[in-house]
Amino acid sequence: MNHRIAILGASGYTGAELIRLVATHPRFSIVALSGERKAGMSISSVFPHLRHLPAPPIYRIDEVDFSEVDLCFCALPHKTSQQIVAHLPKSVRVVDLSADFRLRNADEYQKWYGVPHSAAALQETAVYGLTEFYRDQISTASLVAGTGCNSAAAQFALRPLLAAKAINFNEIIIDLKCGVSGAGRALQEHLLHSELSEGYFPYAVGGTHRHLGELDQEFSQVAGEPITVQFTPHLLPVNRGVLATAYVRGDARTIHEVLSTAYAEEPFLSVLPFGEMPSTHHVRGSNFVHIGVAGDRVSGRSIVVAVLDNLVKGSSGQALQNANVMLGESETEGLLAAPLFP
Amino acid sequence: MNHRIAILGASGYTGAELIRLVATHPRFSIVALSGERKAGMSISSVFPHLRHLPAPPIYRIDEVDFSEVDLCFCALPHKTSQQIVAHLPKSVRVVDLSADFRLRNADEYQKWYGVPHSAAALQETAVYGLTEFYRDQISTASLVAGTGCNSAAAQFALRPLLAAKAINFNEIIIDLKCGVSGAGRALQEHLLHSELSEGYFPYAVGGTHRHLGELDQEFSQVAGEPITVQFTPHLLPVNRGVLATAYVRGDARTIHEVLSTAYAEEPFLSVLPFGEMPSTHHVRGSNFVHIGVAGDRVSGRSIVVAVLDNLVKGSSGQALQNANVMLGESETEGLLAAPLFP
Amino acid sequence: MNHRIAILGASGYTGAELIRLVATHPRFSIVALSGERKAGMSISSVFPHLRHLPAPPIYRIDEVDFSEVDLCFCALPHKTSQQIVAHLPKSVRVVDLSADFRLRNADEYQKWYGVPHSAAALQETAVYGLTEFYRDQISTASLVAGTGCNSAAAQFALRPLLAAKAINFNEIIIDLKCGVSGAGRALQEHLLHSELSEGYFPYAVGGTHRHLGELDQEFSQVAGEPITVQFTPHLLPVNRGVLATAYVRGDARTIHEVLSTAYAEEPFLSVLPFGEMPSTHHVRGSNFVHIGVAGDRVSGRSIVVAVLDNLVKGSSGQALQNANVMLGESETEGLLAAPLFP
Amino acid sequence: MNHRIAILGASGYTGAELIRLVATHPRFSIVALSGERKAGMSISSVFPHLRHLPAPPIYRIDEVDFSEVDLCFCALPHKTSQQIVAHLPKSVRVVDLSADFRLRNADEYQKWYGVPHSAAALQETAVYGLTEFYRDQISTASLVAGTGCNSAAAQFALRPLLAAKAINFNEIIIDLKCGVSGAGRALQEHLLHSELSEGYFPYAVGGTHRHLGELDQEFSQVAGEPITVQFTPHLLPVNRGVLATAYVRGDARTIHEVLSTAYAEEPFLSVLPFGEMPSTHHVRGSNFVHIGVAGDRVSGRSIVVAVLDNLVKGSSGQALQNANVMLGESETEGLLAAPLFP
């Protein structure tokens, strides 16, 4: 029997990606789509590129019959998501794509998001959705919290190095470049084509980006001691793609070896030959991650670069990967399509 | 048993697209790849976005053992292709993506391509590869000639209208806009990023573009009399996408009806609701064609707009569609992936 | 003594361009800037690329002392502009960049813009601001109405041909391609980078674009009889540039001769050698217009292509050119900067 | 009397920019243009965007009469330039835009460029062309060596900090992002639009980029001891713009103060208010540099970001600025045009 899937927030980019990916899954059936602003519209009106798919129309959330749903993807805005998820029937398993359940600690949530969490008990039960590192817990979880796209890239570059103590914990700098679609479909002046194209700039400089909450939580847990990294994102005039350039102190060959070993069996994670560097071109539209390692001319310092597609491996593809794990499907089902280049 | 597939010219963009698409086909196995300039390299070196695929290395053509090949995709340059195809074993069925076998008449070939055809006998046997209109002949053909991407777009917009005499034959203007990848991976100054991005321009103005040879041949055959259209292509700073805006004399509602009826059963061709217009965004990376029809304020004049992805429906996807027909597979196998947006 | 200049609507793109251009004019001084939403901000906050200029802060319109102003550029939205201009002191000469004063006939205004004109008397006195064709009237005008950017491109391509009866009046098709900035800085979903980049599409198909009101008025006057053209705009993922491809019936050599003669003394209008085609790359950021002419293989039919930068020659540069004429300055002052390429 | 100017290598991008900028200079006259591959062509054929300028045709270098030249801009490839400059008459002052005269030490040249310098004596006499730091020497120099565009950005961010010992000398990381035009007009596969657009990647990782030769030389001189920085460039799908993100150890407020003071009188260098960050959008097409400073959440660590247009302040604008200094003109003449945005 097919798994019955609902997608809440289907009119945003991550919602559209979920529909695109889930539609290719042989044992998943989309039974409900919701989107407040576009309720009543067909998916072919909201996303004409999906017009060939047999998707249900878009409803308001309160019109969805959750008794017919096995698993629900929540692609809702931060703060909204926690309110919706808290009121779903217990029988519905949830993969949440917002930031609402990534942090295990309620105080940390308030620190980074500026408001108290309205479903703190639920927050504690959520499993962090970086599949490759939380598979067992995800398989039995009721609620999985999708990671930030930027923090996913940084973690793929660095988690095994922290676990293996292959790098100095006090000098980690992550210079991050990200594409536009990560900011979603909201109407903001700085996201207009005229404002963005043909230029680029840093933002949230100095350690204020909210994805740092996740990095602090995860890196500290892996390292066994508090880790505080530097992290500077830059917005690029490209729709998809996150590239994290990590500057670390550690031996480059050792780093390459640690990462290669850690990811040897991972279907989506490729560590490139030593010294080769990845490009966001080569993962665009796919669930793959490419990682490059090189030594610097400054002795003892190394560079690790990871790339992924923020809408796939950074959110909707990761979400489907987690759903596969939760529902006992092959983890790669629906996720092996090659990147689109050029 | 799987069909054994060779791809010649695997280091160009249409070659890469063939690999990407064929790799998802459950009954096709790639047994040989060739590429003269990149012979000896692995596909992951030439196209790192395909590094996860189990593809064979790239060889020179003369190193390929064609006795092990059932069907060969030729993604070679014009003029080269006719020489290679002429010397393949008779047992190998061929889908050619070059311009070499699109024109049935040797004189027309010489007129548009400036040189005599070196395999004129073979030219006569080739079937024109616009699947939706040549299915029966393709199913038994030894050699199928893939169409031009621009001429495919124009034909999807207009063929049924000519067949039904729904438009005036003497006033057909096709203003065409195409993306960059149609020009291939050749090193030419005007294809550099710095030259192309942030601007656009017409080229081959006045009726000199070679795809007109195909349009003349096909439109005249469909109409039953010589048809000479106007055709002006424009190069846009976008990698994928052809958009053909056809200006015709004829009743818009009738035109919409004729196209809707003609394509009602076609899995890849969508005629949009009357008055709605397509976007290249909505077919990017896919084998779909979207067609819009509207009437003009000038009485008796109508506008038909067709969009497709030049590398998929305009070449490599079309080629796989033809191979499916030739080998008795479902015509849509490997071709139903949704477009990538944004 | 310097001319004292006010710019209303300084926080939009045409406002920014006016500041950029006027700042290089040796005898123009900007004495006031207005912008309702950004009132109270400095120009360096609203447009950091202009931070080196000694511009006044942005005020609300009702805070501007118009007794200190010789000439006022109005870069306000349609409908707002007519209300503001109607209440300016008579001593202030006005160059309006909105659509509010382009049409001389109040009924035509209502037809194309959907509401009655609130300053119909003023509307009648306005001079149409296509400088090259209205110089004498502009020199003494109190109110000059800047043209639409798309209609300017079409008129540069066709006006002399209508005047000379060098083309058939009943078969004029204008396929127009325009960049994004023409849509302004408004927050609209389809103007987001993620929505626009990497694709393109037609809009206002069938003769519904408002710039047709201008084309009807101007072409009919030049021709001496009612002229109704076909006009189909397409939105491209490029910030600047309009390219009009006009399909006409007429002799190409004659057309080239008529245009070359008509524009021989024009500093901003270049007719390219016969058969050469222009590119928007080559006028970007400048007040220049490039025009190409070619014959088609269909006998008796020709193609005329005109390009301009919508924010310069299509609006703010044209506005400064008109102001120069009104104030007795050299028409080219402040407008001879070369295009930016690449 | 006007200064008579020759531009060698006029058919590349920096050559075109020199023509664009010099043409606006009231006391510079272009008397000769050279370009080997395009010799015999007019500038309007090679760069149609400059067709309105009264430029001489393009010659081979050996056809140029240097007795009529006061100052020569050499925009030739590395290695070629040193051969040409060595044979120019002594009466001709030279601003070289290649890498050939940036390094004062012949061994360093060989180390970074892989071949011995063929004009080592001349190399020693050249003045490094970072105008703001070498004005006096430039004013009397016969030969000025234009800097690398990337190294210029890094130096504007860091030189005053090294001079003031405001940062730790052992922990300087420069993560650099650069646009495409810096790679010039050469025909290389990775510079094609299809290869570059919609993605990004690092290159020359680990300290192998040649601009490091300059940084080592200049930073060490300023600091008074050997300085070895980390430097990782990334190629972005944008035509213009360099953004250098420098990670340093030092107090952010002190850093901001040192930079603000150092550049207080500089017409082209703007230090933004503390905490504000620059964008390449805001300097595009201009000779301006914007610099932002912020503190990091990691105590004692700061971030300095500098942006410039690689073709203007990074090469041709800098070259004109140097020529102004050499010829006793106002340093800003011809260089105050505002950036182009959007």
Side-chain angles (χ1 to χ4, degrees), chain C:
Chain C
M1 197 191 76
N2 272 11
H3 306 291
R4 298 166 301 175
I5 305 295
I7 299 173
L8 309 185
S11 60
Y13 295 140
T14 53
E17 282 291 90
L18 283 166
I19 299 171
R20 178 176 77 89
L21 295 167
V22 170
T24 71
H25 197 297
R27 277 173 307 282
F28 280 17
S29 295
I30 299 175
V31 296
L33 299 176
S34 87
E36 300 310 287
R37 283 183 307 159
K38 314 245 172 169
M41 296 176 69
S42 68
I43 197 65
S44 66
S45 299
V46 178
F47 287 117
H49 71 293
L50 302 175
R51 62 178 297 118
H52 62 289
L53 295 176
I58 295 179
Y59 288 109
R60 295 200 316 277
I61 288 178
D62 57 18
E63 297 173 312
V64 175
D65 176 3
F66 285 101
S67 71
E68 299 289 321
V69 172
D70 298 314
L71 185 141
C72 178
F73 292 104
C74 281
L76 299 167
H78 310 329
K79 297 171 191 164
T80 301
S81 196
Q82 56 191 255
Q83 296 166 10
I84 299 297
V85 171
H87 294 90
L88 292 179
K90 296 299 169 207
S91 59
V92 178
R93 298 177 79 182
V94 175
V95 179
D96 184 57
L97 284 78
S98 83
D100 276 358
F101 298 101
R102 294 171 187 167
L103 302 182
R104 281 183 282 273
N105 181 297
D107 291 343
E108 285 293 304
Y109 182 85
Q110 180 154 8
K111 170 182 161 191
W112 287 102
Y113 292 91
V115 292
H117 203 291
S118 72
L122 201 56
Q123 186 190 4
E124 287 173 23
T125 73
V127 176
Y128 190 70
L130 203 67
T131 329
E132 285 77 2
F133 297 97
Y134 284 91
R135 272 193 187 96
D136 287 352
Q137 292 168 258
I138 289 167
S139 70
T140 59
S142 294
L143 170 58
V144 172
T147 75
C149 53
N150 298 327
S151 52
Q155 289 179 69
F156 287 126
L158 297 176
R159 281 184 79 119
L161 307 179
L162 291 165
K165 303 196 187 304
I167 56 174
N168 184 307
F169 289 177
N170 297 313
E171 297 181 38
I172 300 172
I173 295 175
I174 301 161
D175 188 280
L176 192 123
K177 298 88 177 163
C178 59
V180 178
S181 62
R185 211 178 193 183
L187 297 181
Q188 298 184 269
E189 187 172 275
H190 77 284
L191 300 180
L192 294 174
H193 189 280
S194 292
E195 302 286 319
L196 270 176
S197 75
E198 306 171 27
Y200 40 101
F201 53 89
Y203 67 101
V205 172
T208 63
H209 194 287
R210 288 168 166 182
H211 287 185
L212 276 170
E214 292 171 62
L215 293 182
D216 290 355
Q217 167 182 287
E218 296 297 314
F219 284 165
S220 298
Q221 174 171 308
V222 172
E225 62 180 86
I227 300 289
T228 306
V229 301
Q230 284 189 267
F231 175 83
T232 310
H234 300 72
L235 191 59
L236 303 189
V238 168
N239 283 342
R240 289 169 181 254
V242 171
L243 185 149
T245 309
Y247 296 91
V248 295
R249 188 173 295 279
D251 177 67
R253 290 281 176 185
T254 303
I255 287 169
H256 188 256
E257 175 71 19
V258 168
L259 289 170
S260 299
T261 302
Y263 297 150
E265 304 300 320
E266 290 297 342
F268 295 118
L269 312 184
S270 286
V271 180
L272 305 182
F274 186 78
E276 284 188 21
M277 283 291 136
S279 168
T280 63
H281 288 104
H282 301 141
V283 295
R284 194 164 60 109
S286 84
N287 205 50
F288 296 103
V289 177
H290 288 185
I291 300 170
V293 179
D296 196 85
R297 65 171 190 158
V298 175
S299 179
R301 297 201 59 101
S302 298
I303 295 148
V304 186
V305 179
V307 297
L308 54 77
D309 182 315
N310 52 295
L311 288 181
V312 188
K313 187 60 173 168
S315 55
S316 301
Q318 181 198 73
L320 176 52
Q321 191 178 349
N322 285 329
N324 279 331
V325 172
M326 293 165 81
L327 297 173
E329 297 288 332
S330 163
E331 191 174 315
T332 60
E333 192 73 73
L335 291 167
L336 290 174
L340 196 68
F341 173 85

Side-chain angles (χ1 to χ4, degrees), chain B residues 154-168:
Chain B
Q155 288 179 71
F156 287 126
L158 296 176
R159 281 185 79 120
L161 307 180
L162 291 165
K165 303 197 188 305
I167 56 174
N168 184 306

Side-chain angles (χ1 to χ4, degrees), chain D residues 13-176:
Chain D
Y13 296 140
T14 52
E17 282 291 88
L18 283 166
I19 299 172
R20 176 174 79 89
L21 295 168
V22 169
T24 70
H25 197 298
R27 279 173 305 282
F28 279 19
S29 295
I30 299 175
V31 296
L33 299 175
S34 88
E36 299 310 286
R37 284 181 308 158
K38 315 246 171 168
M41 295 176 69
S42 68
I43 196 67
S44 66
S45 299
V46 177
F47 286 117
H49 71 294
L50 302 175
R51 61 178 297 119
H52 62 288
L53 295 176
I58 294 178
Y59 289 109
R60 295 199 317 277
I61 288 177
D62 58 16
E63 297 172 312
V64 174
D65 176 3
F66 285 100
S67 73
E68 300 288 323
V69 172
D70 297 315
L71 184 141
C72 178
F73 293 104
C74 282
L76 298 167
H78 310 327
K79 296 172 192 163
T80 301
S81 196
Q82 57 191 253
Q83 296 166 9
I84 299 297
V85 171
H87 294 89
L88 292 179
K90 297 297 172 209
S91 60
V92 178
R93 298 176 80 182
V94 175
V95 178
D96 185 57
L97 283 78
S98 82
D100 276 359
F101 298 100
R102 295 171 187 167
L103 302 182
R104 282 183 282 273
N105 181 296
D107 291 344
E108 285 294 304
Y109 182 86
Q110 180 153 8
K111 170 184 161 190
W112 287 102
Y113 293 91
V115 293
H117 203 291
S118 73
L122 201 55
Q123 185 190 3
E124 288 173 22
T125 73
V127 176
Y128 190 69
L130 203 67
T131 327
E132 285 78 2
F133 297 96
Y134 286 90
R135 274 191 185 99
D136 287 351
Q137 292 168 261
I138 289 167
S139 68
T140 59
S142 294
L143 170 58
V144 171
T147 75
C149 52
N150 299 328
S151 52
Q155 289 178 70
F156 287 125
L158 297 175
R159 281 183 80 120
L161 307 180
L162 291 165
K165 304 197 186 306
I167 56 174
N168 183 306
F169 289 179
N170 296 313
E171 296 181 40
I172 300 172
I173 295 176
I174 301 160
D175 188 280
L176 192 123

Side-chain angles (χ1 to χ4, degrees), chain D residues 191-265:
Chain D
L191 299 180
L192 295 175
H193 188 282
S194 292
E195 302 286 320
L196 270 176
S197 73
E198 306 171 27
Y200 41 101
F201 53 89
Y203 67 101
V205 172
T208 63
H209 194 287
R210 288 166 168 183
H211 287 185
L212 276 170
E214 290 170 64
L215 292 182
D216 290 355
Q217 168 182 288
E218 296 297 314
F219 285 163
S220 299
Q221 174 172 309
V222 172
E225 61 181 85
I227 301 289
T228 306
V229 300
Q230 284 190 266
F231 175 84
T232 310
H234 300 73
L235 192 59
L236 303 190
V238 168
N239 283 343
R240 289 169 182 255
V242 170
L243 185 149
T245 308
Y247 296 90
V248 295
R249 187 174 294 279
D251 176 67
R253 291 280 175 184
T254 304
I255 287 170
H256 188 257
E257 174 71 19
V258 168
L259 289 169
S260 298
T261 303
Y263 297 151
E265 304 300 319

Side-chain angles (χ1 to χ4, degrees), chain D residues 320-338:
Chain D
L320 175 53
Q321 190 178 349
N322 285 330
N324 279 332
V325 173
M326 294 165 82
L327 297 172
E329 297 288 333
S330 162
E331 192 175 314
T332 61
E333 192 73 75
L335 290 167
L336 289 175

Side-chain angles (χ1 to χ4, degrees), chain A residues 187-220:
Chain A
L187 297 181
Q188 297 183 267
E189 188 173 273
H190 77 283
L191 299 180
L192 295 175
H193 189 281
S194 292
E195 302 287 319
L196 270 176
S197 74
E198 307 170 28
Y200 42 101
F201 53 90
Y203 66 102
V205 172
T208 63
H209 194 286
R210 288 167 166 181
H211 287 185
L212 276 170
E214 292 171 63
L215 293 183
D216 290 355
Q217 168 182 286
E218 296 297 314
F219 285 164
S220 298

